[in-house]
Amino acid sequence: MSNDLTISRRAVLAGTGALIFSFSASPLPAQDAAAPPSASPPAPPLPGSLKQFPYLDSWIRIDAGGSITVCTGKAELGQGIKTALSQIAAEQLDADFDKVEIITADTALTPNEGYTAGSHSLQDSGTAILHAAAQVRQILIAEAAKRAAMPPERMQTQRAAVIAPDGRRFGYGDLVSAALLHVQAAPQSPLKAPSDYNIMGQAQQRIDIPAKVTGGAAYVQDLRPDGMVHGRVVRPPSYGATLTDVDAAAIEKMPGVVKVVRDGSFLGVIAEREFQAVEAMRALAAAAHWQETAKLPDGAALPALLLGLPSQDTAVFDQHGPAPGNGKTLSATYTRPYVSHGSIGPSCAVARFDGDALTVWTHTQGVYPDRDAIAEMLRMPKEKVRLTHAEGSGCYGHNGADDAAADAAVLARALPGRPVRVQWTREQEHAWEPYGPAMVVKVSASLDATGRKIADWDYGVWSNTHSMRPGGAGALLAAQSLAQPFTPPPPKPIPMPEGGGDRNSIPLYKFPSARVVSRFLPTMPVRVSALRALGGYMNVFCIESFMDELALAAGADPVEFRLQHLDDPRARDAVSTAAKNFGWPGKAAPGHGNGFAFARYKNLAAYCAIACEVEVDRESGRARMVRAVAAVDSGQVVNPDGIKNQIEGAILQSTSWTLFENVTFDHRRITSVDWASYPILRFSDVPDAVDVHVIDRPGTPFLGSGEAGQGPAAAAVANAIANATGKRFRDLPISRQRIKTAIGV
Amino acid sequence: MLEGGTQRQAGLDMRALRFALVLCLLLAVAVGVYVFAAGPPAIDPITPPAAASFDPAVVKRGAILAAIGDCDTCHTAPGGRAFAGAVAIPTPFGTIFSTNITPDAATGIGAWSEAAFQRAMRKGVRRDGAYLYPAFPYDHFTQVSDDDNRALYAFLMTRAPVHATVPANTLSFPFNHRTVMAGWNLLFLSPGPSNVYATMDAGTARGLYLVEGLGHCGACHTPRNFLGAEKFGDALAGAEVEGWTAYALDASSPAAVPWTAAALYRYLRDGFEEHHGVARGPMAEVVANLRAAPEEDVRAIATYIAGQSTKAGAQKQASQQVAVQARRGEAVAAASADSQANRASVGSSDGGEGAVIYAAACAGCHEGPRAMPYGGIDLALSSAITGPNADNLVTIVIDGLPAVAGIRSPIMPAFGNVIDDGQVAGLAKYLRGRFTDKGSWSDIEKSVRDARGSGRAVTVSSTRMDQR
Amino acid sequence: MKLDINNRQHDVDVDPRTPLLYVLRDDLKLNAAKFGCGLGQCGACTVLVDGKPVFSCVTPLALLAGKKITTVEGLGTTDNPAPIQRAFIEEQAAQCGYCIAGMIMRAQALLLGNPHADDAEIRAWLEPNLCRCGTHMRILRAVRRAQELIKTAQTGAAG
């Protein structure tokens, strides 16, 4: 019953046959990676994460019993990645979907694919597995052909076996031998023709859902290794506060308390039972005295503050066309507050320290980087620290996961031999997670002489970094508060084309002249890091709101206006598909409005267009999305229902961000620390209908869609509210108070 | 138990007798009015004026007045269209459904001229001449000035018209005959506006005007006689309304820390006050609406009401403050680490099950480190504990404070699905004993019975922290 | 004290002030009810007590003597799911799934008490429970599908 996740993995790995795998989840040796200069032309780069991990058995393992195991360095975050990657492997291997097992991010078992972020999982890991599986199938065919003394072209595969023309059947398990798959991938893969797919592209029920709806062990919270104790931490009342004094003697005597752990300003407690730990934590918090030093900005004056901070400016796009026309010029400033990830489950981790080795089960998005950071914090060799991903509540970016893992590690070190489970409180998650940064955008544009098209576009975005992920022990809260503390690393921008604050700041539209300047702000008044879509949410909200403002000035229909400036045929297709299925432009009922928005995430990933209808209550200013229609082009579709689920979720989550959410603080402390003070969307604000149309592009590369909907949904809502009220809202959130103030009586 | 029942029965009989007598009187008066004076005349219908025909400044003033008058609380159904009515208002005489006051000509007040509106506010008479029921508090609105009525009219006539018929009232005989109200009006309506305002300083006059007139505070806070009229001489002495206790605002206020004008202002402005708690139930709607009111009006209301409640003098205030501080110290001590055992012993020795429930289910928030309004109030300060009966406490325990969608608001979980009636009563008894020096409540069990399944809304106002 | 959980009697030796959630998760090793806030604000910990939805994170054992507690584990299994569980699987009504056990239990209480609830009633009923992934449309569809599954089963049984 305890430790189900570990046991099931071990069982998978043990397999039934005698075959021992060499561990291949190590990157290419340096001499291979940096190939010496040679006369022959360089081979084309391997696809996806095969670039870094070219050995096929890093990705696909088959044991003598025929069990197929797929390994990915990416983590299941509720986005359905286990299912999609299994579909890809099963398809290319010609195996039954339900016979494929999958192992996700684990520093002892899987390739180092960095973070599960940026909608990269299918692009990186999916592509690697696609090609690795196809090449494994080819190798198995060759092996069977050799044994059957037949030409490989005449061999067929089905249901995890190679079938000879004479009907002889070679199970994959019979074909593999120790080194057969321990070979580097070839640049070319014998991929199946998309028309032959019968697993990829089909709606596949997710493999993780049955356990989640029946109380199976599905989350890190469900781990109960033998001897486990319960840890809780006491965080300071504000950023950077130092623990001046705590009399823990009474707490140590409380029932069940095993240990109070203090190291500098790090304060935690371990107890035998969970509620004992909770009560001890409360008592410890009451007994602790802190010196507070934080000075938080005035939330109401945040945009002015950001604009006044020193910035590092980069022109990320600069194109000078013919002299701009003499049409109308519009200018606007848009703002976004700090936004919380707001995971429904506060962060949790389990750690066990055994003399010289540490194991941490965590829902981090990056087991390897977090492993490195924890090893640095504890001054341990990396090899002695293992991080295993276990699912948590949805994170939507860098929430408290890494910090909770570090907390568990510090507490476990203080109690060797016993697994320590650390569960953050709701208030800790809300107050200490690194928020999506506040941002400001200033944009102006001129129409050309016809007054129908945009001639000139000038866009600037002010933002902190969008990634303070570890990255070094200094990124971890626990490490920052130890007696020998680690300092957070200096914040860095994420370079384009992916971008951080400037992600999606370059419009996909074609304008004769355009400048986009990214103004990176190194000074961080509030703890921030990656929140789903990063700057893409804000930039798409701004660009797409402003496109509507310009369309209005041009007297054009917003969809027509976009199409006039859009030459990418897939972009046009997404726009047209959403418009058509929505019934654009339609006629909105009194008090209702329709809005449209489009973006290609990062200008590199999925295309997503959204049309929506919003109703606005004139008396209260309350806005509610009535219905939304989306069209998404994610390239080759693996699990269409998975894409629909992601886009539906994006629309609702983004609606919540856009209408309701902002992190609040006073001059010293974060004040939005639970669902009362940080309200999010509830069922009464859920639309009547959300309809997602998936545009399949067979045979084309996977385009991540996990973050494609957030930006367009925000702008579609804002545009619909503008359509309903005649007022333009440029400050997020578009709260009912702001709407009521703008529309007056 | 039996005795109690008998007493109640006897009380009912007495009331029934008096009721019958006065009914006869009412009927006689009404018939008299009908025969000799005839009812009020109908006022001719008009074509709804265009919204643009109203001065926007007047409309804006009307919006503020409508907020002070709390019109939407009764005239907008939860989840329904604004001002379209159909809110069920339970009365001892049956259920009255609020009317559609949008400018729809057929089902709303679109065909009402300003004169018709002025008359309804002043005299409680419909455009067609029929009498309105005082569930519409025209006994207060009669004080509203012509000028304010003009602004209210402009505001309402510029709302979105909603074509919606409201359900028919379900009043018992003889109240299902509107003519009866002629008698009621003769007995209980003193038509305004009063000329008393002229004799006062401006601030007091404004406070009285808002409290007694448009704000109609007495509609909830003043006890009513058996014919549903506010008792003369008992203004703001506290009353029961729709299952809630509207606390006394006069000298008999149960507040542990006496209200001051400043505290009342904060409460009315922000939806909570650190020494009194969070506005809840119907009062939540009032404070939510008052956010639209100008600061000086809210101050005038607060000052006037505080003037009523502090007539008792400073002595009571001082002694109460000391007592509260003592209890508060106790509560803080209970939250500290070394009192864990102490708290448990409270549970086992003198408080019984109620003490255990409090320690386990309530103390985490109500003795926690978090400040109002999101942290629970120190129960020593709560009028729900010091009040005249357990109604509000029991309602809150059973129904909690649900989240207000999309807005920052205090949340308290509802315990009604897991706590049984005996446990609620035990908890209430324990809290009353632990946090007050007042005697125990007499009929907690009735409070529990009434609160169960009442389906009353326990909304909480959004707070001022919520402006952005 | 004795607890009736999923139709089985359990004897637990725990401080009666302990919230039910910790007893379910730690003592009985039942995974479904989740810690989401510990404040009764999100519904991830929802279980049924005598058929009614209750936040187990703020419900002390002291309130539970003699009452019947039902968790997701008491509805059905992966191999033999209850209609509401089957409906959630068929509608693929989860992303991270952390809120789902609570949603299922609240929905189950509705199916028991008001099996023919219409869409507006379902939405109002689910209001106390939060989902952050934005799976609401699927959750609503799953509840409606569960109503259908139950109706079909009853019709089948009757016929």
Side-chain angles (χ1 to χ4, degrees):
Chain A
M1 194 73 198
S2 68
N3 214 355
D4 284 339
L5 293 178
T6 318
I7 287 168
S8 71
R9 282 196 177 149
R10 198 178 302 131
V12 165
L13 289 174
T16 48
L19 187 64
I20 309 289
F21 295 111
S22 60
F23 175 55
S24 308
S26 49
L28 205 56
Q31 67 268 30
D32 292 355
S38 73
S40 59
L46 292 174
S49 293
L50 283 171
K51 278 193 234 9
Q52 293 83 35
F53 294 86
Y55 285 97
L56 297 182
D57 60 348
S58 297
W59 304 96
I60 308 286
R61 299 172 196 176
I62 300 171
D63 73 8
S67 296
I68 298 169
T69 304
V70 177
C71 292
T72 173
K74 300 292 185 183
E76 176 67 61
L77 309 175
Q79 81 282 46
I81 201 68
K82 282 182 175 176
T83 307
L85 294 177
S86 300
Q87 280 180 274
I88 293 169
E91 181 69 66
Q92 295 297 335
L93 284 168
D94 258 341
D96 290 351
F97 171 78
D98 54 7
K99 294 291 190 300
V100 173
E101 298 283 344
I102 186 158
I103 297 177
T104 58
D106 185 328
T107 59
L109 298 173
T110 69
N112 177 359
E113 292 193 88
Y115 297 104
T116 306
S119 300
H120 267 283
S121 293
L122 276 185
Q123 196 183 317
D124 298 349
S125 212
T127 302
I129 290 165
L130 178 86
H131 288 269
Q135 294 189 26
V136 165
R137 177 168 160 270
Q138 187 182 36
I139 289 168
L140 294 168
I141 287 174
E143 177 66 18
K146 199 165 73 186
R147 294 191 194 180
M150 293 275 198
E153 312 81 71
R154 300 196 52 201
M155 311 297 276
Q156 292 190 326
T157 51
Q158 75 181 55
R159 309 199 70 180
V162 184
I163 316 292
D166 57 10
R168 271 183 297 169
R169 188 176 181 284
F170 300 90
Y172 288 172
D174 301 328
L175 292 168
V176 288
S177 57
L180 190 68
L181 304 183
H182 189 60
V183 295
Q184 291 195 28
Q188 302 298 328
S189 308
L191 297 174
K192 288 167 75 170
S195 54
D196 292 339
Y197 288 169
N198 53 39
I199 302 174
M200 281 169 67
Q202 305 299 313
Q204 176 64 52
Q205 290 202 342
R206 268 174 40 195
I207 56 182
D208 54 328
I209 287 184
K212 289 176 176 176
V213 302
T214 54
Y219 303 94
V220 68
Q221 286 87 347
D222 304 334
L223 288 170
R224 297 180 194 90
D226 290 341
M228 188 176 82
V229 286
H230 292 273
R232 290 291 187 280
V233 286
V234 174
R235 291 252 107 88
S238 57
Y239 291 139
T242 48
L243 181 60
T244 53
D245 178 45
V246 58
D247 180 1
I251 290 108
E252 279 165 339
K253 291 194 197 87
M254 287 175 69
V257 170
V258 177
K259 196 163 195 171
V260 171
V261 179
R262 180 182 174 182
D263 185 339
S265 291
F266 178 92
L267 190 58
V269 60
I270 303 170
E272 291 288 348
R273 303 182 60 91
E274 190 161 14
F275 189 54
Q276 290 169 340
V278 170
E279 296 218 295
M281 169 191 68
R282 289 177 184 161
L284 199 55
H289 299 276
W290 305 86
Q291 183 176 2
E292 295 186 67
T293 53
K295 286 194 181 67
L296 299 184
D298 173 8
L302 202 56
L305 173 90
L306 294 180
L307 292 171
L309 289 174
S311 67
Q312 298 168 7
D313 300 349
T314 311
V316 294
F317 190 80
D318 197 356
Q319 171 185 298
H320 296 272
N326 53 1
K328 240 182 267 183
T329 297
L330 268 59
S331 299
T333 302
Y334 297 84
T335 68
R336 170 188 123 144
Y338 296 99
V339 175
S340 173
H341 298 79
S343 298
I344 287 294
S347 293
C348 180
V350 180
R352 185 172 56 210
F353 185 71
D354 297 306
D356 69 338
L358 175 75
T359 305
V360 184
W361 291 267
T362 164
H363 54 100
T364 177
Q365 288 182 288
V367 285
Y368 279 95
D370 201 22
R371 188 269 313 260
D372 295 355
I374 288 173
E376 184 190 350
M377 173 179 74
L378 300 182
R379 298 181 164 83
M380 290 174 68
K382 284 180 192 176
E383 312 78 66
K384 291 291 184 185
V385 178
R386 175 181 177 181
L387 260 66
T388 298
H389 184 268
E391 275 189 71
S393 168
C395 60
Y396 328 108
H398 180 190
N399 67 350
D402 302 79
D403 296 309
D407 291 341
V410 173
L411 292 183
R413 183 177 59 173
L415 193 67
R418 297 201 64 179
V420 180
R421 177 184 185 272
V422 169
Q423 169 69 67
W424 275 20
T425 65
R426 165 54 44 206
E427 295 90 334
Q428 287 170 343
E429 184 76 31
H430 256 92
W432 287 94
E433 63 144 286
Y435 309 113
M439 296 170 69
V440 178
V441 162
K442 283 177 174 288
V443 57
S444 65
S446 307
L447 297 175
D448 67 10
T450 68
R452 305 286 295 168
K453 290 193 77 172
I454 295 167
D456 189 15
W457 176 274
D458 196 340
Y459 187 97
V461 51
W462 282 255
S463 178
N464 284 147
T465 182
H466 284 251
S467 179
M468 287 298 288
R469 297 176 185 275
L476 301 170
L477 288 176
Q480 292 165 12
S481 58
L482 295 176
Q484 289 183 280
F486 292 82
T487 314
K492 284 196 288 242
I494 302 169
M496 292 292 255
E498 301 249 330
D502 48 2
R503 179 169 290 184
N504 272 102
S505 61
I506 304 172
L508 206 63
Y509 304 106
K510 296 296 175 226
F511 308 135
S513 294
R515 281 166 308 285
V516 177
V517 179
S518 174
R519 300 178 194 274
F520 175 74
L521 309 175
T523 312
M524 291 184 291
V526 171
R527 188 179 193 227
V528 295
S529 190
L531 172 64
R532 203 172 186 181
L534 309 192
Y537 165 75
M538 175 65 171
N539 288 316
V540 172
F541 166 71
C542 299
I543 293 172
E544 290 296 295
S545 292
F546 201 54
M547 283 297 282
D548 258 37
E549 297 193 47
L550 288 160
L552 192 67
D557 172 79
V559 170
E560 274 307 308
F561 191 69
R562 283 172 172 78
L563 288 171
Q564 275 179 24
H565 293 90
L566 213 44
D567 56 9
D568 180 334
R570 289 171 70 170
R572 296 178 63 88
D573 206 6
V575 168
S576 304
T577 303
K580 178 167 151 277
N581 285 290
F582 180 81
W584 189 269
K587 189 171 165 8
H592 289 228
N594 295 338
F596 197 92
F598 160 80
R600 181 183 189 191
Y601 183 50
K602 298 189 281 190
N603 293 1
L604 298 167
Y607 300 82
C608 182
I610 297 173
C612 78
E613 177 185 348
V614 163
E615 63 180 353
V616 178
D617 176 48
R618 180 177 160 196
E619 301 306 325
S620 65
R622 175 173 178 253
R624 185 183 77 98
M625 181 186 278
V626 176
R627 67 186 180 109
V629 174
V632 57
D633 172 355
S634 304
Q636 166 71 52
V637 171
V638 178
N639 188 359
D641 190 59
I643 294 174
K644 284 185 183 178
N645 202 347
Q646 285 297 299
I647 300 298
E648 286 173 24
I651 291 170
L652 271 78
Q653 187 179 65
S654 178
T655 298
S656 181
W657 294 351
T658 304
L659 295 180
F660 307 128
E661 300 185 27
N662 68 317
V663 173
T664 57
F665 34 84
D666 59 23
H667 69 286
R668 183 148 274 167
R669 298 178 179 183
I670 302 294
T671 53
S672 49
V673 296
D674 61 0
W675 303 119
S677 48
Y678 191 88
I680 62 171
L681 177 128
R682 288 181 183 267
F683 272 94
S684 50
D685 288 297
V686 165
D688 298 346
V690 174
D691 190 10
V692 179
H693 297 264
V694 178
I695 302 170
D696 195 8
R697 302 286 183 193
T700 62
F702 305 131
L703 303 178
S705 44
E707 297 160 290
Q710 266 75 8
V717 166
N719 290 336
I721 292 172
N723 183 238
T725 62
K727 303 287 177 188
R728 175 55 58 178
F729 295 90
R730 303 188 185 91
D731 298 310
L732 294 170
I734 309 175
S735 63
R736 71 178 68 175
Q737 294 90 339
R738 281 183 165 148
I739 295 175
K740 180 61 188 163
T741 303
I743 62 179
V745 295
Chain B
M1 202 62 175
L2 254 178
E3 274 174 19
T6 314
Q7 272 173 7
R8 243 195 319 273
Q9 197 58 50
L12 279 178
D13 288 346
M14 275 298 290
R15 291 221 319 252
L17 191 63
R18 265 173 33 193
F19 181 74
L21 283 169
V22 176
L23 217 58
C24 293
L25 179 68
L26 271 182
L27 277 171
V29 172
V31 167
V33 168
Y34 186 76
V35 171
F36 297 107
I43 295 179
D44 286 344
I46 59 167
T47 307
S53 65
F54 293 94
D55 177 353
V58 176
V59 174
K60 197 169 172 187
R61 210 165 65 78
I64 293 167
L65 293 167
I68 294 173
D70 211 24
C71 307
D72 64 345
T73 298
C74 286
H75 286 281
T76 303
R81 304 285 300 275
F83 301 113
V87 176
I89 298 163
T91 77
F93 320 105
T95 299
I96 293 176
F97 289 90
S98 67
T99 53
N100 178 348
I101 54 169
T102 72
D104 180 64
T107 61
I109 60 167
W112 291 37
S113 62
E114 189 194 312
F117 182 80
Q118 293 269 9
R119 183 178 70 175
M121 291 290 282
R122 187 81 61 222
K123 296 182 173 159
V125 175
R126 228 157 56 175
R127 184 196 60 76
D128 64 3
Y131 290 102
L132 290 158
Y133 293 109
F136 169 62
Y138 60 86
D139 48 337
H140 289 277
F141 292 166
T142 188
Q143 297 295 341
V144 177
S145 69
D146 288 354
D147 204 34
D148 282 356
N149 278 333
R150 186 167 305 123
L152 283 164
Y153 178 73
F155 171 73
L156 290 173
M157 294 302 275
T158 51
R159 300 305 90 197
V162 179
H163 189 85
T165 310
V166 302
N169 298 334
T170 59
L171 294 172
S172 55
F173 179 82
F175 299 101
N176 54 345
H177 293 276
R178 290 181 179 271
T179 319
V180 171
M181 287 302 117
W184 194 96
N185 290 345
L186 267 182
L187 288 172
F188 303 120
L189 176 67
S190 41
S194 164
N195 50 17
V196 71
Y197 305 117
T199 67
M200 300 172 164
D201 69 89
T204 312
R206 185 70 183 159
L208 177 64
Y209 174 73
L210 293 172
V211 168
E212 284 299 320
L214 193 55
H216 65 284
C217 304
C220 291
H221 286 275
T222 300
R224 291 175 185 271
N225 65 22
F226 63 97
L227 280 171
E230 291 174 28
K231 285 184 183 166
F232 186 75
D234 273 350
L236 305 179
E240 294 289 303
V241 53
E242 295 181 33
W244 289 93
T245 296
Y247 297 118
L249 302 176
D250 63 4
S252 63
S253 160
V257 175
W259 284 105
T260 62
L264 259 173
Y265 173 77
R266 286 194 297 274
Y267 179 82
L268 295 174
R269 194 83 294 205
D270 301 343
F272 74 97
E273 206 283 325
E274 60 172 334
H275 295 115
H276 296 88
V278 173
R280 60 186 189 270
M283 195 60 203
E285 318 254 356
V286 174
V287 297
N289 270 325
L290 280 181
R291 288 171 58 172
E295 182 185 326
E296 55 273 22
D297 278 355
V298 180
R299 281 206 192 281
I301 295 171
T303 305
Y304 178 81
I305 290 181
Q308 304 304 301
S309 67
T310 50
K311 279 175 185 164
Q315 198 177 2
K316 173 192 168 192
Q317 186 164 339
S319 68
Q320 278 187 345
Q321 202 117 30
V322 169
V324 163
Q325 266 159 9
R327 283 192 296 273
R328 197 172 159 69
E330 185 186 306
V332 171
S336 77
D338 56 1
S339 71
Q340 296 288 323
N342 183 21
R343 213 196 306 173
S345 76
V346 168
S348 55
S349 62
D350 60 336
E353 192 180 31
V356 175
I357 294 170
Y358 172 74
C362 317
C365 288
H366 287 280
E367 294 187 19
R370 227 170 143 197
M372 297 285 295
Y374 303 116
I377 187 173
D378 175 347
L379 292 180
L381 301 174
S382 172
S383 293
I385 314 286
T386 57
N389 58 58
D391 286 2
N392 291 8
L393 172 65
V394 163
T395 297
I396 293 291
V397 168
I398 288 175
D399 294 335
L401 303 181
V404 181
I407 286 189
R408 286 191 186 88
S409 63
I411 300 173
M412 175 177 143
F415 286 89
N417 282 345
V418 69
I419 193 165
D420 63 37
D421 291 0
Q423 289 168 329
V424 181
L427 176 63
K429 194 177 286 181
Y430 167 74
L431 295 177
R432 178 81 166 175
R434 171 162 172 191
F435 289 108
T436 77
D437 46 15
K438 303 189 172 191
S440 55
W441 282 314
S442 59
D443 204 351
I444 298 176
E445 288 73 16
K446 179 177 181 302
S447 298
V448 177
R449 276 194 310 276
D450 290 350
R452 283 283 182 203
S454 66
R456 75 183 62 114
V458 193
T459 48
V460 176
S461 78
S462 54
T463 69
R464 196 165 170 77
M465 293 173 71
D466 197 29
Q467 295 293 335
R468 286 177 61 241
Chain C
M1 71 181 279
K2 288 197 184 349
L3 290 175
D4 179 340
I5 298 172
N6 297 331
N7 288 320
R8 282 178 56 191
Q9 293 293 323
H10 296 269
D11 216 339
V12 294
D13 179 22
V14 182
D15 184 335
R17 295 176 304 123
T18 307
L20 172 63
L21 175 67
Y22 298 124
V23 176
L24 294 175
R25 295 193 56 84
D26 301 335
D27 295 82
L28 305 176
K29 304 197 181 350
L30 298 172
N31 295 318
K34 300 291 188 295
F35 177 79
C37 63
L39 304 164
Q41 296 180 352
C42 76
C45 66
T46 305
V47 301
L48 301 190
V49 174
D50 291 340
K52 300 231 175 75
V54 161
F55 299 130
S56 65
C57 74
V58 290
T59 301
L61 295 193
L63 291 176
L64 293 166
K67 293 173 187 169
K68 287 175 72 72
I69 298 156
T70 311
T71 72
V72 160
E73 288 89 344
L75 299 182
T77 62
T78 314
D79 295 331
N80 186 23
I84 186 70
Q85 293 168 306
R86 211 179 114 196
F88 269 75
I89 294 171
E90 288 176 356
E91 290 293 344
Q92 291 286 287
Q95 284 193 31
C96 82
Y98 199 84
C99 71
I100 292 299
M103 293 284 181
I104 286 177
M105 293 319 289
R106 185 165 295 279
Q108 176 70 9
L110 183 69
L111 295 172
L112 293 171
N114 182 10
H116 308 297
D118 64 20
D119 189 58
E121 289 172 317
I122 295 171
R123 286 167 186 255
W125 182 259
L126 294 175
E127 181 80 355
N129 285 37
L130 291 172
C131 164
R132 185 55 162 166
C133 295
T135 322
H136 305 74
M137 307 309 298
R138 287 168 182 252
I139 293 168
L140 292 171
R141 285 204 293 271
V143 178
R144 289 192 288 267
R145 180 183 283 258
Q147 290 176 323
E148 289 304 313
L149 289 173
I150 292 167
K151 199 159 44 169
T152 309
Q154 283 165 347
T155 320

